[in-house]
Amino acid sequence: MSDYIMDLRKIVGHRTLLQVGASVIVEDAEGRILLQLRHDNHCWGYPGGSVELDEVVEDAAAREMLEETGLKAKHLELFGIYSGAEYHYIYPNGDEVSNIDIVFLCKDYEGELCFDAEESDDLCFFAANELPEQISPPIRSIIAQWRDLKLSDAPTREKDYIRWIRGKVGHAPIILNFAAACIKDAEGKILLQRRADRGTWGFPGGALEYGESAEQAAVREVREETGLEVRVRKLTSVYSDYYDEYPNGDRAQTVTMLYDCEITGGALGSKDAETLELAFFGKDELPPLVNRRHEDMMRDVL
């Protein structure tokens, strides 16, 4: 229990409190969810707890995750905000709360699993189709939402939209939406990625996933392909009159949003299978680019 909530309980006893929580759905490389067996109600739940006074919500989520699992979050993505009568709960000790639960998704973390014996009896990863029956009552619907997203045949951010749609239409022509990033260093040189599928250079970027904005896609693709964290400053332009046939036979008309981005963190380097090499290039030292679309984008940013 947070110090803030403990202090309030000394004053109001078991009366209902409005409680703002920060929680984390932690997924491993296999897409399984990390759950802890709670000490107070002997049910399974994700790590989380109350936000302290003046604490940033993301910081509270990362703190609770570290305290309760031993894992340090490297990146958090908002999963959802939950409130209302469904999340009203009475704890075994009689404390009553109306919960506002701000839930994050974390797939990028470090550390070794280690549970807090004062709050948990066990930690375990579970597949979406193998969840335990005893889920903590106030979060059952949230866990069910996560499960349904994982098991659904519909595309989600957790799935590869292009692979999903290609499984339906094969190599037939489709319209694909892409987001790309123009990133410059202090000398004004532009970051390019040498792609594994064609062995040639282009701007970092990739296809939007279902439910994702173009700006979110640009930031995610940069992180995955370059190791850098960036902030979108503005939309440079939109490129739509382009038709491509990929080495595997897929055909598409591509619509690309190119964003001007600035580096905010991270380190240049990628383990992404799509990236062979990364380098900054000046105007007079540009390599051959992957296609006319990237050539036109380069012309516009120079």
Side-chain angles (χ1 to χ4, degrees), residues 77-138:
E77 176 184 347
L78 182 64
F79 182 79
I81 301 174
Y82 304 88
S83 61
E86 183 178 357
Y87 305 100
H88 194 111
Y89 183 64
I90 301 176
Y91 288 96
N93 67 353
D95 289 349
E96 193 165 353
V97 293
S98 177
N99 281 313
I100 300 174
D101 198 3
I102 304 171
V103 184
F104 294 87
L105 181 67
C106 181
K107 298 181 181 181
D108 189 6
Y109 53 86
E110 61 187 6
E112 299 292 332
L113 278 180
C114 179
F115 64 83
D116 181 354
E118 293 186 3
E119 297 193 23
S120 306
D121 294 325
D122 198 6
L123 282 170
C124 187
F125 282 99
F126 293 91
N129 60 351
E130 297 178 346
L131 293 173
E133 292 184 5
Q134 296 299 320
I135 300 293
S136 188

Side-chain angles (χ1 to χ4, degrees), residues 235-249:
L235 175 67
T236 299
S237 192
V238 179
Y239 303 82
S240 59
D241 189 19
Y242 301 88
Y243 303 84
D244 211 347
E245 182 167 343
Y246 295 87
N248 66 354

Side-chain angles (χ1 to χ4, degrees), residues 261-277:
C261 298
E262 66 175 341
I263 300 172
T264 60
L268 189 64
S270 176
K271 297 180 180 179
D272 190 283
E274 298 179 4
T275 304
L276 294 179
E277 191 176 354

Side-chain angles (χ1 to χ4, degrees), residues 32-106:
R32 300 178 301 173
I33 187 173
L34 178 62
L35 297 178
Q36 59 177 339
L37 184 58
R38 296 178 58 91
H39 193 68
D40 56 1
N41 63 3
H42 307 292
C43 293
W44 292 91
Y46 43 57
S50 298
V51 180
E52 295 288 359
L53 288 174
D54 297 327
E55 187 176 28
V56 175
V57 173
E58 291 90 341
D59 293 343
R63 172 181 55 77
E64 290 286 345
M65 176 176 161
L66 180 62
E67 292 174 356
E68 297 183 356
T69 71
L71 302 177
K72 182 178 180 180
K74 298 173 70 175
H75 177 71
L76 292 172
E77 176 184 347
L78 182 64
F79 182 79
I81 301 174
Y82 304 88
S83 61
E86 183 178 357
Y87 305 100
H88 194 111
Y89 183 64
I90 301 176
Y91 288 96
N93 67 353
D95 289 349
E96 193 165 353
V97 293
S98 177
N99 281 313
I100 300 174
D101 198 3
I102 304 171
V103 184
F104 294 87
L105 181 67
C106 181

